[in-house]
Amino acid sequence: MDNNNKRKQVKERFGCFLKNNIAFVSLLILIILFWIWAGPNFMSRKNWTYISQQLPVVGILAIGMTFAVTGGYIDLSVGSSLGLAGYFAALGIQRYGPIGVVFGLVTPVIIGFVNGALFAYLKIPSFVTTLSTQVIIRAVLMIISNGSAVYISEGMATTGKSNNWLTNIGKFPYVFFIALFVLIIAHIIYNKTTFGWNLRAIGGNEAVVSLFGLQLMPFKTAVFGLVGFFVGIAALVNLGRVGAATTVSGQGMELDAISAVVLGGTPLTGGYGSVVKTFVGALSLVVLSNGITLAGIAPSWNNVAKGLLLIIAVAVALDRKKIGIVK
Amino acid sequence: MKNEIILSATNISKRFGGVIALHDVSFNLVKNEILAVVGANGAGKSTLMKIIAGVLSPDNGSLMLNGKKIEKFDVFTMRESGIEMVYQDLALVKNMNAPYNLFIGRLPTKFGIFVDKAKMEKKTKEVLERLQVKTIQNLWADTNSYSGGQQQAIAIGRAIAWGRDIVILDEPTAALGVLETEQVMETILELKKQGSSIILISHNLEHVYKLADRILVIRNGKNVREVEKDEITIDELISAITIG
Ligand SMILES: Nc1ncnc2c1ncn2[C@@H]1O[C@H](COP(=O)(O)OP(=O)(O)OP(=O)(O)O)[C@@H](O)[C@H]1O
Ligand SMILES: [Mg+2]
């Protein structure tokens, strides 16, 4: 009887630990798995340098997404927004040199505010709003770019300056430190500021928070603006990495970002979350596709594995006591 | 100075679609008194109090606070002018911790943006001590994980924490144990001693007689009696509630 109780308690503790740390646990399992499967190449310094160059774009996007999801919202436009931001940044850099990155930051912030305003003031669900802006932005990018890419190296001809600084920030270690810095700032915003606290509260019970005086509509608009800011940074990092802005930049990335958020244990219903765990979730996704390649498995299996990872992670970790109703 | 009126409602009406929740309700709240509001379920007590707290605005009628007519009905403005309320449904954000709920709408900050946790913790502890709530082990846990009574204590704490002019309590002891109920009653008397005026909604007539100075009876959305406690026997009170 006593023993039974003890065993039950241990089991409960373990379950609780698993629920709270699913991001770390799944990352650890993936690393061990691919270490065995793909051999020592996987654990080489070269490969981890590669991984840490792959991580930042999706990691930063996912960090931004965590803010939207914590409110109970979603932003499906981040991939397209990243594409358009990269395009304007590349043009700006070509024409004005380094200061041109401002275009890359401002564009997605404006898009974020528009998303937020449509959602908050017109009360169009964020899913619908951002699904619409996603396709619109991508189409606009196609139209204005005429389908052709912009190479930042071309800028040298007009400005007479090399754009090495930008390609440099796309490389290890700079790119990784940028991501880490963004992570720390995001963590502080999320956990230490009134904005972060109110965001979580709104995700849990919007009615009560607004009852006590918080202006919901500007707040929601600001949340999407903040998401846009993270998109901007991700767009610049991506531009540095790729060296060009193409019409497909960022395509499908919103799904990776959302997957990372979910892997990080943030419920899509809002009210809870962690940007650090989101970042670890993004790392899991990168490790997964990297490991699959190294293990010599056909890349098409990558998405199968990704999907399965999501399902398993949520099945194991979704705190059904906290969430109450699963929709 | 005696019998100075702090709050005065005149011909307040409120309807929800076809339901007339309040019909021409008038009453006064005297400074530093405890006014008990009694009435059957659905009589309109909570609706009346929500109007005073700024949650709802009346369709008709007027509300004077300290001799000034209230034009704008919202909770923020009412709290700024010194009215706090304990809601029947508690109005807690349950995925957040107790200090957040205590400070909701008034989060103290450092450098204007960072949450001042130390300040929050200190005040929350003070308030819980005042309410003699000793069972809350983890102050920073989500209020989700609190018992019904503990949650109610947080809701009451929020209203009394700010030492305001008017405190409205809508069935504050509904979820509380015997000791905690005693403590809340004590706290209500203490609030009065400190100069607050109190409106207490309760179905417990024993509590009403113990605490109240005056009693307001609401029946079917109308005020049917507004009397000194000593002027009405418990039998008369019950018949006022039920037959009017
Ligand atoms: N938001 C609302 N929408 C529609 N009807 C409402 C709403 N709030 C209250 N009512 C109606 O108004 C009437 C008065 O309700 P109220 O909550 O004020 O009663 P009460 O006196 O507080 O009752 P109780 O003792 O059960 O708390 C009821 O008939 C109720 O159904
Ligand atoms: Mg009521």
Side-chain angles (χ1 to χ4, degrees):
Chain A
M1 185 64 197
D2 219 36
N3 231 340
N4 236 347
N5 250 344
K6 226 178 212 167
R7 202 179 299 159
K8 212 170 147 192
Q9 222 178 25
V10 169
K11 217 172 145 188
E12 223 163 72
R13 283 251 178 87
F14 180 71
C16 198
F17 175 82
L18 207 59
K19 275 185 179 49
N20 287 331
N21 296 292
I22 188 68
F24 301 100
V25 172
S26 50
L27 178 63
L28 198 68
I29 291 175
L30 285 174
I31 289 175
I32 293 171
L33 188 72
F34 285 115
W35 201 355
I36 296 169
W37 202 341
N41 270 350
F42 176 74
M43 264 312 183
S44 68
R45 199 166 137 195
K46 194 174 146 216
N47 191 44
W48 279 91
T49 307
Y50 180 72
I51 287 175
S52 52
Q53 290 186 106
Q54 294 289 95
L55 172 62
V57 175
V58 60
I60 294 170
L61 270 191
I63 286 171
M65 188 67 76
T66 312
F67 285 88
V69 171
T70 300
Y73 328 131
I74 199 123
D75 190 341
L76 296 173
S77 74
V78 295
S80 299
S81 185
L82 181 138
L84 192 66
Y87 181 76
F88 283 141
L91 282 185
I93 290 165
Q94 269 196 355
R95 213 160 291 172
Y96 309 107
I99 191 72
V101 299
V102 171
F103 290 98
L105 287 175
V106 169
T107 307
V109 171
I110 293 174
I111 292 173
F113 280 136
V114 171
N115 278 332
L118 286 172
F119 158 58
Y121 290 88
L122 296 186
K123 301 206 160 58
I124 304 168
S126 58
F127 188 98
V128 179
T129 303
T130 58
L131 181 64
S132 313
T133 51
Q134 177 197 71
V135 293
I136 292 172
I137 295 163
R138 183 64 66 189
V140 166
L141 176 57
M142 298 278 190
I143 294 165
I144 59 174
S145 70
N146 237 329
S148 56
V150 181
Y151 295 89
I152 49 175
S153 56
E154 285 167 1
M156 285 191 276
T158 39
T159 58
K161 283 179 230 140
S162 119
N163 286 320
N164 283 345
W165 59 273
L166 186 61
T167 32
N168 267 337
I169 68 162
K171 287 197 194 115
F172 189 81
Y174 303 105
V175 69
F176 188 68
F177 287 127
I178 290 172
L180 226 49
F181 181 70
V182 170
L183 176 62
I184 290 167
I185 298 293
H187 178 78
I188 291 171
I189 297 175
Y190 197 95
N191 290 294
K192 308 280 178 201
T193 67
T194 51
F195 177 85
W197 283 50
N198 284 329
L199 175 61
R200 275 180 284 154
I202 285 179
N205 194 339
E206 174 180 304
V208 169
V209 181
S210 87
L211 183 68
F212 285 95
L214 194 101
Q215 299 294 315
L216 286 182
M217 289 187 242
F219 191 91
K220 289 177 180 175
T221 310
V223 171
F224 279 82
L226 182 67
V227 176
F229 178 70
F230 288 107
V231 174
I233 297 171
L236 294 176
V237 170
N238 189 58
L239 187 60
R241 272 196 51 62
V242 182
T246 70
T247 53
V248 293
S249 297
Q251 205 154 50
M253 270 191 196
E254 59 281 342
L255 295 183
D256 279 340
I258 295 166
S259 305
V261 171
V262 172
L263 278 177
T266 300
L268 292 178
T269 36
Y272 299 93
S274 153
V275 288
V276 172
K277 288 176 186 170
T278 290
F279 198 69
V280 174
L283 181 55
S284 298
L285 291 177
V286 174
V287 165
L288 182 68
S289 64
N290 170 271
I292 282 184
T293 313
L294 283 189
I297 304 163
S300 348
W301 285 96
N302 186 14
N303 281 340
V304 176
K306 238 192 244 173
L308 288 177
L309 176 65
L310 264 188
I311 290 176
I312 294 168
V314 172
V316 172
L318 182 64
D319 197 335
R320 290 163 187 85
K321 257 184 249 152
K322 259 186 191 170
I323 311 303
I325 302 165
V326 179
K327 284 188 195 166
Chain B
M1 254 349 239
K2 223 185 160 244
N3 288 347
E4 189 186 334
I5 287 165
I6 183 164
L7 182 87
S8 152
T10 318
N11 297 330
I12 299 261
S13 296
K14 179 78 189 173
R15 54 195 306 163
F16 298 103
V19 180
I20 299 171
L22 295 172
H23 185 73
D24 278 347
V25 174
S26 304
F27 77 96
N28 290 325
L29 179 66
V30 174
K31 193 163 187 173
N32 205 214
E33 75 168 346
I34 298 178
L35 176 70
V37 179
V38 297
N41 291 127
K45 306 180 295 293
S46 295
T47 305
L48 183 60
M49 293 310 130
K50 280 182 183 166
I51 288 172
I52 297 169
V55 182
L56 302 169
S57 41
D59 300 333
N60 270 310
S62 66
L63 204 61
M64 309 271 280
L65 179 64
N66 285 318
K68 264 190 243 131
K69 187 166 188 252
I70 288 171
E71 305 286 353
K72 208 172 144 212
F73 287 84
D74 72 75
V75 174
F76 184 78
T77 316
M78 293 301 198
R79 287 182 97 200
E80 287 301 294
S81 33
I83 301 177
E84 293 286 337
M85 171 158 175
V86 181
Y87 296 90
Q88 193 168 10
D89 66 3
L90 305 186
L92 295 177
V93 182
K94 294 201 181 159
N95 65 315
M96 298 299 283
N97 49 54
Y100 179 86
N101 277 289
L102 218 76
F103 281 87
I104 188 169
R106 290 183 175 142
L107 289 182
T109 57
K110 284 185 285 196
F111 309 111
I113 52 170
F114 298 112
V115 177
D116 190 344
K117 281 179 79 174
K119 202 180 230 172
M120 290 167 76
E121 176 157 344
K122 186 161 166 273
K123 185 144 183 173
T124 308
K125 278 185 174 155
E126 275 169 24
V127 167
L128 290 178
E129 207 158 289
R130 207 165 143 196
L131 289 169
Q132 296 274 319
V133 175
K134 293 170 184 147
T135 54
I136 294 179
Q137 290 175 11
N138 185 357
L139 205 60
W140 293 102
D142 300 343
T143 41
N144 258 338
S145 65
Y146 286 12
S147 75
Q150 289 169 337
Q151 290 180 7
Q152 193 146 33
I154 300 299
I156 296 169
R158 175 169 60 205
I160 66 164
W162 308 99
R164 307 307 295 230
D165 306 346
I166 299 178
V167 179
I168 304 168
L169 302 103
D170 195 346
E171 299 193 35
T173 58
L176 297 185
V178 181
L179 275 177
E180 288 84 353
T181 300
E182 287 286 314
Q183 196 52 48
V184 167
M185 291 171 65
E186 195 103 325
T187 309
I188 291 172
L189 289 172
E190 203 185 297
L191 280 174
K192 179 183 168 176
K193 231 180 261 163
Q194 288 164 2
S196 296
S197 315
I198 292 140
I199 304 180
L200 171 70
I201 299 183
S202 180
H203 287 294
N204 187 325
L205 298 184
E206 195 190 319
H207 292 172
V208 167
Y209 269 90
K210 217 181 224 169
L211 294 174
D213 299 304
R214 293 190 313 128
I215 301 173
L216 172 69
V217 183
I218 307 276
R219 190 172 167 274
N220 288 339
K222 292 178 194 140
N223 54 317
V224 287
R225 294 292 284 275
E226 184 180 351
V227 289
E228 297 281 333
K229 171 178 71 181
D230 309 329
E231 287 170 7
I232 190 165
T233 67
I234 200 154
D235 288 335
E236 284 170 336
L237 185 61
I238 290 170
S239 76
I241 291 169
T242 51
I243 346 180

